[in-house]
Amino acid sequence: MNYTFDFSFLAEYRPMLMQGLLMTLQLSALSTLMGFVAGTGVAYLRVSNNRLFSIPAAIYVEFIRNTPLLIQAYFLIFGLASIGVDLPIMAGAVIALTINVSAYTAEIMRAGIESIHKGQIEAAHCLGLSKAQVFFRVVLAPATERVYPSLVSQYVLLMLATSILSAVGIDELFGIAARVQSITFRNFEVFIVLGVLYVALSFVVRGAFNLLGKLVFPRLRRLGTPL
Amino acid sequence: MTSGQLLFLLKGFEGTLVLSVLTFVFGGSLGFVVSLMKVSDRWWVRTVASTYISGLQGLPLLVLMGLAFYGPNIWGITLKPLVAAVLALMFYAAAYFAEIWQGCIKSVPKSQWEAAECLGMSRVQRMRLVILPQAVKISLPPTVGFMVQIVKNTSIASLIVGYAELAYNSKILNNSTFQPFLYFGLAALLYFVICYPLSVLSKKMESRLIQR
């Protein structure tokens, strides 16, 4: 093997790559937040006794979960452009990611909601809690706490999946790196740098979510017992 | 849409199926080896396996595709798109299969190990004759479930390596006809046709396993 590795492009393109990294984090954070809210809503419709709500929610979840993100992004972004909807590319990307992750969130949250015992909700009503109080404090909070590890794994996967949006022209980490690659022709080196950055990023993001979990759900920290 | 265009789309569908099957075979084989390493009695073998799993799970598949495609270049080898795509998907799938299967192996009750040991079986015999047959039963639902992920993720092979599968061909059709709803809709439907039955099967197997 007479190949000399050359990482000298890093000096010149580091600011660009850092910008891409920031974009990846922004994209992930936005779609995680919106995907969680939307997915929880879909999960509620999914467990509803009214078939008018539960069946469309089930179709939505199954259809999104059984098709690739890339096709969903193409369909949405190129599709909207073809009927003359002038959407900023970034907005399109966030919507595509949100739709995608909301379906996975809905499936996870459904498991959480179904794990809440009916007696708990009845007891809360008996105590005179308002509907909103029951919803947020008796159902949503414990349900989220129970499925939090699954949610974290899903959102780390989402962060990695944002790289796919480079295919529709988003300048996140992967898109920027692809541009650096086409300027410098250091193909393999660029991908090695990308690999290191993404692995580091996934550790940081997972760590941040775990820290957030400790702050939002103090039960384990205070009492030493999980739900 | 002409019949030629439909045929081109179906040709891509065929590519997706080929890539999925090859990934399952090669990724499954490597994943099986890594899962056995994960339950080895030597600590350093377990560490190698854990490092492999957590490292690969922190990489986007797209980056893995790039590494598989451009990596062999440094030895002056240029891989065909299909080979590079299978290589990347194999390493990716192996990490997840290893994680799933090591859990299944560990979930076989400890008393089974002890009983087999009492019968004077060697470690290999215990694994092959007692533990694995039971672990395979437990592993079926999550394995079928992960096959859905494989099928969906073959779409990423259209990007860096440019393997002509369903996503690639539907993109080309859209580029020439500019009917994104039609072609990407059809592509989504074709993916759904493979993935949904697998998802349902996985759920059915799981509930049957719980019932027993």
Side-chain angles (χ1 to χ4, degrees), chain B residues 107-185:
Chain B
S107 70
V108 175
K110 198 129 199 157
S111 52
Q112 297 283 328
W113 279 97
E114 292 160 0
E117 203 175 351
C118 285
L119 290 173
M121 289 181 172
S122 71
R123 202 183 146 78
V124 177
Q125 276 179 322
R126 269 179 269 161
M127 197 55 144
R128 193 168 58 89
L129 298 171
V130 180
I131 304 304
L132 285 182
Q134 300 183 62
V136 165
K137 256 184 214 154
I138 309 169
S139 73
L140 283 177
T143 304
V144 174
F146 187 69
M147 280 158 93
V148 176
Q149 304 296 323
I150 291 181
V151 174
K152 284 190 295 176
N153 278 324
T154 55
S155 65
I156 295 170
S158 66
L159 296 179
I160 295 287
V161 298
Y163 174 65
E165 42 68 74
L166 191 47
Y168 189 86
N169 283 12
S170 58
K171 179 91 193 291
I172 288 185
L173 285 170
N174 175 55
N175 286 350
S176 56
T177 61
F178 206 58
Q179 287 176 300
F181 285 129
L182 175 65
Y183 287 111
F184 296 131

Side-chain angles (χ1 to χ4, degrees), chain A:
Chain A
M1 182 176 94
N2 35 26
Y3 183 89
T4 39
F5 283 92
D6 178 7
F7 286 98
S8 57
F9 66 87
L10 273 179
E12 191 180 341
Y13 295 102
R14 203 174 54 194
M16 246 170 98
L17 287 170
M18 286 301 128
Q19 238 169 25
L21 201 131
L22 211 64
M23 182 71 119
T24 290
L25 285 177
Q26 279 173 355
L27 210 56
S28 312
L30 258 178
S31 37
T32 298
L33 209 66
M34 287 166 58
F36 177 69
V37 174
T40 307
V42 175
Y44 258 92
L45 297 179
R46 184 86 172 73
V47 298
S48 159
N49 290 324
N50 190 340
R51 291 180 145 217
L52 218 61
F53 297 125
S54 68
I55 289 177
I59 293 173
Y60 172 80
V61 169
E62 290 305 329
F63 201 78
I64 298 295
R65 274 166 37 101
N66 286 299
T67 50
L69 170 63
L70 181 64
I71 297 289
Q72 290 161 12
Y74 281 161
F75 186 86
L76 188 87
I77 291 170
F78 294 143
L80 286 182
S82 78
I83 53 170
V85 179
D86 195 19
L87 202 65
I89 188 84
M90 184 68 183
V94 171
I95 293 173
L97 283 168
T98 301
I99 288 175
N100 184 268
V101 80
S102 70
Y104 291 89
T105 303
E107 196 64 6
I108 296 171
M109 285 304 286
R110 181 174 72 114
I113 293 168
E114 281 175 348
S115 78
I116 302 295
H117 205 276
K118 235 190 163 146
Q120 300 250 329
I121 299 166
E122 285 161 4
H125 280 303
C126 280
L127 287 172
L129 265 65
S130 72
K131 265 194 167 167
Q133 279 175 319
V134 175
F135 173 79
F136 283 108
R137 288 165 182 258
V138 182
V139 180
L140 191 59
T144 312
E145 184 170 353
R146 277 200 184 136
V147 297
Y148 193 69
S150 310
L151 286 176
V152 171
S153 297
Q154 196 59 57
Y155 296 146
V156 172
L157 283 179
L158 170 73
M159 187 275 291
L160 298 176
T162 55
S163 60
I164 294 172
L165 272 300
S166 62
V168 290
I170 297 288
D171 281 336
E172 44 63 73
L173 182 53
F174 192 91
I176 295 273
R179 209 185 301 158
V180 172
Q181 176 202 351
S182 65
I183 302 168
T184 61
F185 293 110
R186 307 310 306 182
N187 300 328
F188 194 40
E189 288 90 334
V190 168
F191 277 97
I192 290 175
V193 169
L194 265 182
V196 171
L197 284 176
Y198 272 110
V199 170
L201 212 54
S202 69
F203 277 105
V204 169
V205 169
R206 189 175 285 276
F209 270 117
N210 287 338
L211 201 69
L212 182 73
K214 285 216 172 80
L215 289 174
V216 180
F217 309 114
R219 178 193 306 265
L220 188 64
R221 182 162 42 91
R222 284 203 199 124
L223 302 176
T225 52
L227 246 179

Side-chain angles (χ1 to χ4, degrees), chain B residues 19-31:
Chain B
L19 193 52
S20 304
V21 170
L22 288 175
T23 302
F24 181 68
V25 171
F26 289 105
S29 309
L30 181 62

